[in-house]
Amino acid sequence: MSKDNQILEEFTSKEYEHGWSVNYEADEAPIGLNEEIIRWISAKKEEPEWLLEWRLKAFRTWQTMEEPEWANIHYPKVDFQKLRYYSAPKQTKKPKSLNEVDPELLAIYERLGISLNEQKRLQGIAVDAVLDSVSVATTFKDTLGKLGIIFCSFSEAVKEHPELVKKYLGSVVPMTDNYYAALNSAVFSDGSFCYIPKGVRCPMELSTYFRINAANTGQFERTLIVAEDESYVSYLEGCTAPQRDENQLHAAVVEIYAAAHAEVKYSTVQNWFPGDKEGKGGIYNFVTKRGICAGDHSKISWTQVETGSAVTWKYPSCILKGDNSVGEFYSVAVTNNMQQADTGTKMIHIGKNTKSRIVSKGISAGKSQNSYRGQVHVMKRATNARNFSQCDSLLMGDRCGAHTFPYIDIQNPTAKVEHEATTSKIGEDQIFYCNQRGIDTEDAVALIVNGYAKEVLNQLPMEFAVEAQKLLALTLEGSVG
Amino acid sequence: MLTIKNLHASIEGTPILRGINLEVKAGEVHAIMGPNGSGKSTLASVLAGREEYEVTEGEVIFQGKDLLEMAPEDRAREGVFLAFQYPVEIPGVSSTNFLRTALNQVREYRGQEPLDAVKFLSLMKEKMKLVEIDQKLLSRSLNEGFSGGEKKRNEIFQMAMLEPTLSILDETDSGLDIDALRIVSNGVNQLKSDKNATIVVTHYQRLLDYIVPDYVHVLYKGRIVKSGTKELALELEEKGYDWIKEEVDSAAV
Ligand SMILES: Nc1ncnc2c1ncn2[C@@H]1O[C@H](COP(=O)(O)OP(=O)(O)O)[C@@H](O)[C@H]1O
Ligand SMILES: [Mg+2]
């Protein structure tokens, strides 16, 4: 047995750190999925009629749709009738400010290292904390409000800013876009809403922290970000879930709308419970994320660090409609043990002089499977469109797999599309070289992997980059040596 | 400092080292020469702890400790340094970051405080002069896209930073032009003291004009078949290795 294999045999992946759960009194929908449940959710949230109709329409379409099977992932089918579609911590009255939020709920976030106490936060980061089906708290609302920025839970937005929600909901990801998006449109419970008015640069990072606590509960949240002309926002999403033997479903939808000269940076550090070493349990992460560069010179940039989930199915995409608009996708996807990830992006060039850049870094260890799936589509009108794609795979050991599926469709002869792909193995040579300088194997792997992912990590806001680096190291801890 | 006794090592069942004996004392420079494939790099790798090589017999004592029992990183922390014949590239990791990680792990092992960024950078500045290495090179990814000469120079720079007790230089001269050779040798000579020792592996005597050895050993077919002083290197330069091969091969018959 070669050394690579031998060290991989010693694989003792570190226990998932956020695997605990708490018991709180919950307000739950009955298990199962039908029109009654959807009405129940909508009523619970005191929604207007149009939104209920919208949900029901999505549900009816969903019933006619088939679960997609084209992705390179294999998992037992989800029984949608066995899930619960709404679970929320019982709060006697709706908290009007952070001070009124149940301290026990705040404690959950403290334990995750997410302080919702505005005074305690060192950096200016506003957080919307979503627990199971509802948003429990949003910080810095007042500070942001002074600039005209709206940052609140989706439910609140439906109540307070119905005209905005109505205008943009489903405008980027139509309710019937795909199987999971349709399901989400029918049953979504909460999420974040963010609106940056014309000419405003959002002075702090906006972030949503998703936490699944309840068992047998799917989390279906929606995020909607609207950036008006010449505005800027950087948005971060983080997530964890308790360790449970059953698989849990997370099917979110994120929509981003960027008007002329607007820029939206969306970063995700995804750390859902990946299942145990044998592949038992873990989150199914079936997410639809899409942004539209609607205005000229607008820019949307997706950065994702995907370390968790048992199965990931996710393709954050950009529709480059405005002339001179720019779409970017930076991704690090790590899979270990029995994890499976099929992730990538779509760049759809519609406007003239549109540019897109794709940097994907896959890291596979254990018996995991890691696929990049990317589409670059240049439409007829998109004169001088440019795309550059770089897809790298790093393998640790020889029982994992890395796959690249690039699709390129060009309908304008002036387009320039470049695709580069590499596959490398984390070398015994590299590790030995580090060892010989006094660096132990664990740190050597962390060093090498972070070096490999550097171009992507550099895109993250500073403090999250540090977190992400630690997370990469943690995910791969014990994978070599 | 270092005692190698009857060292045998093989790779995938093929014996490569077949009974090496060597004694290195503090303050000494030993040169190990020999034709290609004689086992020089293997010896260096075994001393550094590369696991593909299986030690089948013999022992190695380094400063009173059983070297072969130690993990490679602990050998490094104890003061064994190998300047690689083929230094590897680590994309995305700057030399600076790499060395800082290394140095602080070594310091931790020795019960010393980690160096803060300021102290580390000033130490780097000082050592950079020694091998005339450019700051720009150190902020680039480790060895990636470095020329052969830059890689070797970087090895010696790392050696200067880590201040090893025993340095093993594996063909550090190969791929160096005469100026680079002078600079690198100069660095090595300045690092020499009566507390450390150097093993220089080479198959050209050229390097030994710059780094003057106290002893010269000829390795052939996994054994040290001849030892002498600097004059032996000159003799090899003049006559090649064939006469030694003949001597050994005829004795074996
Ligand atoms: N990984 C390996 N697998 C098989 N044989 C090897 C391996 N590494 C070295 N050898 C063999 O061991 C012998 C000694 O090699 P080496 O120590 O590199 O010699 P030198 O450095 O003196 O040129 C050579 O015959 C070489 O082919
Ligand atoms: Mg050699």
Side-chain angles (χ1 to χ4, degrees):
Chain A
M1 198 162 35
S2 83
K3 186 185 173 199
D4 270 344
N5 276 348
Q6 195 185 332
I7 32 203
L8 281 162
E9 284 301 320
E10 291 160 23
F11 214 120
T12 47
S13 76
K14 163 141 181 163
E15 293 292 304
Y16 180 69
E17 195 183 4
H18 303 297
W20 49 271
S21 62
V22 294
N23 287 321
Y24 58 74
E25 215 187 324
D27 202 355
E28 295 176 330
I31 283 178
L33 181 57
N34 51 51
E35 291 204 2
E36 275 319 295
I37 294 284
I38 291 166
R39 288 176 199 281
W40 189 97
I41 294 171
S42 189
K44 189 96 222 159
K45 306 183 81 64
E46 299 163 9
E47 284 176 356
E49 190 59 26
W50 67 265
L51 191 51
L52 173 63
E53 285 309 317
W54 195 82
R55 286 175 180 275
L56 289 171
K57 200 171 155 204
F59 179 64
R60 287 169 197 146
T61 316
W62 177 75
Q63 284 177 304
T64 67
M65 296 170 96
E66 303 260 337
E67 201 166 344
E69 284 181 356
W70 44 263
N72 187 27
I73 48 180
H74 306 276
Y75 57 95
K77 288 278 164 285
V78 179
D79 184 345
F80 292 99
Q81 294 305 335
K82 286 208 173 130
L83 288 181
R84 192 189 300 285
Y85 290 84
Y86 186 92
S87 173
K90 233 181 206 142
Q91 299 194 33
T92 38
K93 60 173 185 177
K94 284 248 151 64
K96 288 209 179 53
S97 73
L98 272 179
N99 304 335
E100 292 177 20
V101 176
D102 185 346
E104 272 184 54
L105 298 180
L106 296 181
I108 293 179
Y109 285 86
E110 288 285 344
R111 191 163 160 196
L112 291 165
I114 318 284
S115 175
L116 297 177
N117 182 332
E118 292 183 1
Q119 273 74 47
K120 271 200 202 158
R121 298 204 67 97
L122 296 171
Q123 295 286 332
I125 303 161
V127 183
D128 183 24
V130 176
L131 186 62
D132 293 331
S133 307
V134 291
S135 164
V136 292
T138 309
T139 62
F140 289 108
K141 256 201 238 170
D142 299 342
T143 320
L144 295 167
K146 288 193 185 108
L147 293 163
I149 295 170
I150 305 167
F151 180 48
C152 63
S153 73
F154 207 93
S155 316
E156 195 180 325
V158 170
K159 290 209 174 79
E160 309 289 325
H161 311 280
E163 62 315 322
L164 286 174
V165 175
K166 205 167 175 179
K167 181 169 175 195
Y168 292 104
L169 177 69
S171 69
V172 190
V173 179
M175 62 161 82
T176 55
D177 186 79
N178 67 69
Y179 190 76
Y180 305 114
L183 178 63
N184 175 288
S185 302
V187 302
F188 76 90
S189 45
D190 214 339
S192 304
F193 176 79
C194 161
Y195 177 85
I196 317 290
K198 186 170 172 183
V200 173
R201 263 190 87 83
C202 184
M204 55 177 84
E205 302 283 337
L206 300 187
S207 83
T208 303
Y209 194 91
F210 295 109
R211 168 78 178 168
I212 297 179
N213 186 71
N216 294 320
T217 300
Q219 193 177 46
F220 305 91
E221 81 282 355
R222 280 192 93 94
T223 303
L224 177 54
I225 300 173
V226 177
E228 294 286 22
D229 291 357
E230 289 150 44
S231 66
Y232 167 85
V233 65
S234 168
Y235 189 92
L236 190 116
E237 170 202 307
C239 19
T240 58
Q243 195 156 345
R244 299 190 187 279
D245 287 348
E246 313 84 40
N247 294 103
Q248 282 181 281
L249 180 62
H250 174 253
V253 171
V254 177
E255 298 181 275
I256 300 176
Y257 180 93
H261 294 272
E263 182 178 349
V264 179
K265 245 177 102 77
Y266 191 105
S267 317
T268 310
V269 176
Q270 188 262 108
N271 184 24
W272 292 118
F273 176 52
D276 68 9
K277 264 194 256 181
E278 278 74 45
K280 201 165 178 210
I283 300 285
Y284 290 165
N285 193 33
F286 300 149
V287 172
T288 306
K289 292 185 169 178
R290 192 177 302 151
I292 182 164
C293 286
D296 295 349
H297 297 277
S298 55
K299 179 174 175 184
I300 293 176
S301 180
W302 298 100
T303 303
Q304 59 173 23
V305 177
E306 301 283 312
T307 65
S309 296
V311 181
T312 299
W313 179 98
K314 180 179 171 190
Y315 315 90
S317 306
C318 298
I319 301 170
L320 304 171
K321 184 159 169 266
D323 292 345
N324 302 295
S325 60
V326 179
E328 291 177 336
F329 174 75
Y330 295 93
S331 168
V332 180
V334 194
T335 51
N336 198 351
N337 297 318
M338 305 294 285
Q339 282 177 276
Q340 306 174 57
D342 194 299
T343 183
T345 184
K346 276 187 211 164
M347 292 292 174
I348 300 164
H349 294 254
I350 301 173
K352 294 189 195 71
N353 306 316
T354 45
K355 282 201 201 93
S356 62
R357 183 178 173 81
I358 298 170
V359 178
S360 161
K361 304 268 180 179
I363 302 165
S364 342
K367 295 182 189 163
S368 67
Q369 295 294 327
N370 202 325
S371 305
Y372 166 80
R373 190 180 303 275
Q375 185 181 26
V376 177
H377 192 90
V378 178
M379 312 275 260
K380 262 212 182 73
R381 201 168 74 73
T383 311
N384 287 321
R386 297 277 177 277
N387 163 265
F388 174 75
S389 303
Q390 169 83 49
C391 302
D392 298 329
S393 308
L394 183 68
L395 299 171
M396 303 176 72
D398 46 21
R399 292 175 305 170
C400 51
H403 318 271
T404 304
F405 304 99
Y407 306 93
I408 297 172
D409 182 1
I410 297 175
Q411 288 163 17
N412 184 309
T414 60
K416 269 207 188 118
V417 173
E418 285 174 81
H419 180 91
E420 284 175 17
T422 66
T423 301
S424 50
K425 257 189 145 180
I426 196 162
E428 230 174 276
D429 287 0
Q430 287 174 324
I431 292 174
F432 181 67
Y433 189 84
C434 294
N435 288 160
Q436 212 302 307
R437 298 302 184 248
I439 301 172
D440 60 37
T441 301
E442 204 101 286
D443 286 347
V445 171
L447 200 66
I448 295 164
V449 164
N450 280 315
Y452 165 78
K454 190 173 172 191
E455 200 182 341
V456 175
L457 298 177
N458 279 350
Q459 299 295 323
L460 290 172
M462 189 54 185
E463 56 268 56
F464 297 114
V466 176
E467 278 307 300
Q469 280 191 14
K470 284 190 206 145
L471 198 55
L472 286 185
L474 260 181
T475 308
L476 293 168
E477 196 159 276
S479 63
V480 180
Chain B
M1 172 185 293
L2 179 78
T3 309
I4 304 176
K5 272 192 205 149
N6 191 31
L7 182 66
H8 288 250
S10 55
I11 185 155
E12 283 158 17
T14 313
I16 310 283
L17 301 183
R18 301 185 302 162
I20 303 260
N21 292 291
L22 185 67
E23 175 86 39
V24 178
K25 295 200 179 72
E28 292 178 348
V29 176
H30 289 244
I32 295 185
M33 304 185 71
N36 269 331
S38 58
K40 303 184 295 293
S41 292
T42 303
L43 176 61
S45 298
V46 169
L47 293 178
R50 189 135 200 169
E51 278 171 36
E52 291 96 305
Y53 298 93
E54 192 193 350
V55 174
T56 49
E57 227 185 300
E59 63 173 7
V60 179
I61 304 298
F62 176 64
Q63 296 188 306
K65 292 182 184 161
D66 183 350
L67 193 70
L68 301 177
E69 278 295 300
M70 284 183 229
E73 59 270 28
D74 287 340
R75 300 184 196 196
R77 295 161 183 176
E78 289 283 342
V80 175
F81 181 92
L82 171 61
F84 286 79
Q85 183 171 3
Y86 304 108
V88 303
E89 303 182 353
I90 307 186
V93 178
S94 67
S95 289
T96 310
N97 185 12
F98 174 77
L99 264 178
R100 186 147 178 230
T101 309
L103 190 65
N104 282 337
Q105 286 213 1
V106 170
R107 291 179 66 90
E108 190 184 331
Y109 181 84
R110 296 179 186 163
Q112 296 163 311
E113 289 286 302
L115 282 189
D116 62 33
V118 176
K119 288 207 182 98
F120 177 78
L121 287 176
S122 77
L123 182 69
M124 272 212 347
K125 285 243 157 60
E126 178 196 327
K127 304 292 185 181
M128 270 158 53
K129 285 194 204 115
L130 213 61
V131 281
E132 301 176 26
I133 202 163
D134 191 14
Q135 172 89 56
K136 276 200 213 100
L137 203 66
L138 300 179
S139 51
R140 277 169 46 186
S141 288
L142 185 63
N143 290 325
E144 199 182 33
F146 285 23
S147 71
E150 284 170 337
K151 284 183 183 169
K152 296 300 173 72
R153 215 185 274 202
N154 191 29
E155 291 293 287
I156 303 306
F157 170 68
Q158 293 184 18
M159 170 178 153
M161 288 294 288
L162 294 168
E163 299 178 328
T165 320
L166 175 68
S167 303
I168 306 163
L169 313 184
D170 192 2
E171 310 261 3
T172 298
D173 51 335
S174 64
L176 292 187
D177 62 30
I178 200 78
D179 288 332
L181 185 65
R182 188 183 41 77
I183 292 166
V184 163
S185 313
N186 217 343
V188 173
N189 287 332
Q190 286 187 55
L191 292 169
K192 246 170 34 182
S193 78
D194 55 2
K195 299 213 168 43
N196 60 28
T198 314
I199 297 177
V200 185
V201 173
T202 179
H203 62 258
Y204 300 110
Q205 101 79 34
R206 190 179 70 155
L207 175 66
L208 306 180
D209 286 339
Y210 296 90
I211 303 173
V212 183
D214 299 297
Y215 300 96
V216 174
H217 311 278
V218 179
L219 194 63
Y220 178 56
K221 290 190 172 169
R223 284 198 194 96
I224 291 177
V225 293
K226 215 170 191 61
S227 293
T229 55
K230 190 175 181 316
E231 281 63 45
L232 177 57
L234 292 170
E235 197 177 350
L236 289 168
E237 175 83 348
E238 199 179 309
K239 302 204 277 187
Y241 289 110
D242 287 351
W243 62 282
I244 291 189
K245 290 185 190 172
E246 270 162 37
E247 248 180 59
V248 175
D249 293 342
S250 63
V253 176

